Every structure is written in C-alpha cells, then in structure tokens.
Amino acid sequence: MTLDRYFEFLRFSLIDGYPLPRNLATMDWRALYNFGVRQALTGVLFLGIKKLPEGIAPPNDLLMQWVVAADRIRRQSMRVSNVAIEAFRMFGEAGFRCCLLKGQGNALMYGDPYSRTSGDVDMWLCGYKDDKAPGGFVYPGLKKMRSVVLDYARRNFEVDHVISYHTSFDYHGVEVETHFGPSMMVNPVYNRRFQRWCAERAKEQSSNLVTLPDTDGGEIPVPTAYFNLVYQLEHIYRHFFDMGIGLRQITDYYQLVKKNGGDKTRAAELERDLKYLGLWKIAGAVMWILEEIFGLQEELMIAPTDSWRGKLLLDEILNGGNFGKYDRKYGGITRKGMGSKFFTKTFRNLSFLRYYPEEALSEPFYRLWHFSWRRAHGWK
C-alpha cells in the first residue's frame, strides 16, 4: 500500500537508527513530497532525504524544490521563535503571566527543531499582576482573563479575530493568538471541568522555562509534559470535530508520548484526568495511530489502543490534511461560506455520533451559541 510506504519513510525520517525503507528504487518521490505538503511534514520528511545513501535520491528538480522548502521552513521557524520571545517579554512588562502553547515548544522535541513547520504564536495569558494576591499574581480562569486580555489587546493592537477562548493580531508580521484559556470543549460539562483543570495548573505552566534556539538565550515558559499530554490531546480532539486535524499534530503527540509516556508513577493520575475530561476515547484512537504509523511501544502508551475509533481518525487525517485544508470528502469544507459550512460540519460531526456521542451531540449547539455570543459582543 502506498500510504504504508509514506509512513515507513516518516518513521525513517524521525527515528534514529531506523532501517532504510524497502523498495526506494520505485518510490514516487513527487507523491511523497505532496503528501508532506498536505500534512505539513515537508521539513520532517527532508530529514529522511538527508539520510539516504549515495545513489538514492529524488530527481534533481524535486530535490532542489525540497531543499528550498526545508530552508524556508527553517528560516520561518527562527523568525517565529524570536517573535515568541518578544511577545513574551511584552506581555510580561504589561503585567501578565503566560506560556507558549504548542508551536516552538513542540519543536524542541525534534532532533532538528527547524524541521517542524511552524505556524502562529499561541500565548496563553493565564494570570495578571495583583499586588494584593499571594505572590503578586492571580490566575482567575478563562472568563476573567478574557475580559482583561481583550481590554489590553484593544488598547494596544488592531485585533483581527475573537472567538470564545482567544483573540489574534499581527505582531512583526507573525500572527499572535492570545489565549484566555488554552482551548475550549464543546460539551458544557467537560468544558467546565477542562477550564477548571487548566486554571488550577496555570501558575505551574507559566513558570516552566525553556530556551528556544537562536534567540540570544531567550527563555520562555512552556507547559509541562504532563499538562501537554492532556492539553494537546484535547487540541487534537477539538480540531477533529472542527474541520479536521493533520499528521503534523499527531507527529507532535508521538514525540511527546515517546519522551514522556512511560512515567508509571503518574499513569493512574493521567488515566483519571483523561476520563474526567472526556478524553479517554480519543486517547485510545490516537494510541492506535501512533502504533500503526510510528510503531510506538505498548509500555509508552497512555491508554489502550482503540482501532475502531483510530481508523476513523486516521481516515479523516488522510482526507483533510493539515487542519482540513485539503478536504475532498465534504466538498472542501474549509472553503465554504458560513451557512454551508455550518450544515456540512453538522452533517459530518453527527456521523461520528456512534464514536463520540457526548461531543457530536453538543457540537451544533456550541456553534450556535458561539455565533450568538460573537454577534452579541460585536465580533463578526
């Protein structure tokens, strides 16, 4: 199967010591490159291209195209890292406590952090200065932070977009999303639990400093590994229902689980948290994909594999590509107008009712509420 060959080459690209893939003489290199573009893995697959022995390589014109694309990914990643550091310093000077979500923090898990395709800068502004509070800061949760952050953003930037848990604006040519909460779940019960779970851990996330490469030693907080195991799984789950998720996010999660999934001292706590937050089913689906594509060992898995849900998730990933931008099954869902998109998404998500009933039933009502909320607050 052609996809199996792509998956094998992806493993070869990422995993040190992985054997040379079979039948490379008949590899359709152009199709592999296009697969990488659709899944935002062009730079990661280029790691494999650089490992090929002499005499095996894509055609020269394609190889040069790949080199240029990988260099562009590298330069953009450096730029985004420096903007992230600047944004962190700016928010700190304004009295906020924050941390960098996903993005450049995830890139640190790769052997070559510049191989990962970067996106925008996601900053969770999780607390603000209050001299009367213990430690001088408060961490109030999403609703209060939304009010404080929007007030700051309106006074200092031309705000591009507002949804229930973040706003965005251009900062030195890079889109910066300022999150009031890390994410939002559409089921109201699980969302309340998730927001409370995040708020209780906000202070720890804003104190977990790392150094991004090529930023003059600039330090920036990123979530802890445990927080990311929960939060990034929720991120996959949310985008699965909201037009689609791609292999880049799954590859990020593989890197995270490979490095942190074997912590037996917190396994029971993690299982309890995932079940409490309604993420246990999607955890099994993702574990199945990590086993199928990357050969993740059973001792590293955070949940039992679920092939039934995993096959559905993988099918959606392969259909839509990165965030559903290459969708064919639903008539190009990301390019549709508001009304058409609403009905297409509703039809799509109700087809998942057997797999995830709590989320599938809640999703249309959430979108109606969200549309009304944005209109009521004057956001188009």
Side-chain angles (χ1 to χ4, degrees), residues 74-88:
R74 174 177 293 270
R75 286 185 283 108
Q76 178 64 9
S77 182
M78 291 179 180
R79 183 184 182 199
V80 171
S81 289
N82 280 285
V83 168
I85 293 293
E86 288 186 39
F88 169 62

Side-chain angles (χ1 to χ4, degrees), residues 1-288:
M1 181 180 176
T2 301
L3 283 171
D4 290 339
R5 300 184 71 182
Y6 298 165
F7 296 157
E8 185 179 23
F9 198 87
L10 179 57
R11 290 194 294 271
F12 172 69
S13 301
L14 278 174
I15 302 172
D16 290 339
Y18 193 85
L20 189 70
R22 300 157 292 172
N23 303 319
L24 285 177
T26 59
M27 174 67 81
D28 185 339
W29 296 105
R30 173 63 65 178
L32 178 66
Y33 177 84
N34 291 337
F35 172 78
V37 170
R38 289 193 301 273
Q39 300 295 341
L41 291 173
T42 311
V44 171
L45 292 175
F46 189 65
L47 296 177
I49 297 297
K50 293 193 293 184
K51 291 164 64 175
L52 292 172
E54 188 175 352
I56 301 177
N60 283 338
D61 60 335
L62 178 60
L63 181 60
M64 290 307 301
Q65 184 178 351
W66 221 321
V67 169
V68 170
D71 183 63
R72 184 168 59 247
I73 289 168
R74 174 177 293 270
R75 286 185 283 108
Q76 178 64 9
S77 182
M78 291 179 180
R79 183 184 182 199
V80 171
S81 289
N82 280 285
V83 168
I85 293 293
E86 288 186 39
F88 169 62
R89 289 170 179 162
M90 174 186 66
F91 292 133
E93 290 170 1
F96 289 103
R97 296 281 284 176
C98 57
C99 74
L100 177 67
L101 299 171
K102 309 185 304 294
Q104 303 309 98
N106 279 354
L108 296 176
M109 299 185 294
Y110 289 72
D112 178 357
Y114 298 125
S115 65
R116 182 188 183 276
T117 300
S118 58
D120 50 22
V121 174
D122 292 84
M123 299 293 293
W124 176 24
L125 275 61
C126 55
Y128 60 88
K129 190 172 181 59
D130 185 341
D131 293 332
K132 297 178 181 179
F137 289 89
V138 292
Y139 303 87
L142 183 145
K143 287 187 178 180
K144 178 62 177 178
M145 286 306 305
R146 180 193 291 146
S147 173
V148 174
V149 174
L150 280 179
D151 179 64
Y152 172 78
R154 286 190 185 108
R155 286 186 285 105
N156 292 276
F157 304 100
E158 185 175 338
V159 175
D160 297 331
H161 183 62
V162 176
I163 63 174
S164 59
Y165 63 94
H166 73 70
T167 185
S168 60
F169 53 86
D170 180 89
Y171 189 63
H172 298 307
V174 174
E175 184 176 10
V176 174
E177 288 187 357
T178 49
H179 288 243
F180 330 127
S183 187
M184 176 76 76
M185 299 185 73
V186 302
N187 181 280
V189 174
Y190 289 133
N191 184 56
R192 281 195 298 272
R193 293 178 180 180
F194 181 70
Q195 300 307 330
R196 188 185 312 118
W197 188 90
C198 291
E200 290 170 351
R201 293 157 178 80
K203 182 178 180 180
E204 182 182 9
Q205 311 319 308
S206 65
S207 305
N208 187 45
L209 294 172
V210 299
T211 300
L212 299 183
D214 295 298
T215 55
D216 297 324
E219 290 188 317
I220 192 168
V222 300
T224 63
Y226 185 89
F227 187 93
N228 266 336
L229 285 170
V230 175
Y231 158 63
Q232 293 197 32
L233 185 64
E234 188 279 336
H235 178 257
I236 291 170
Y237 193 35
R238 178 172 58 79
H239 277 288
F240 169 65
F241 276 92
D242 187 20
M243 297 187 287
I245 195 76
L247 266 185
R248 180 183 65 165
Q249 290 72 32
I250 299 296
T251 304
D252 282 353
Y253 205 72
Y254 164 69
Q255 299 285 59
L256 180 64
V257 173
K258 182 178 69 172
K259 295 178 183 298
N260 303 284
D263 185 356
K264 301 304 179 185
T265 62
R266 304 194 71 175
E269 179 187 2
L270 181 58
E271 178 177 346
R272 184 174 64 251
D273 282 345
L274 293 178
K275 289 179 176 178
Y276 176 71
L277 298 172
L279 297 172
W280 189 243
K281 293 174 184 176
I282 192 68
V286 172
M287 290 306 103
W288 181 82

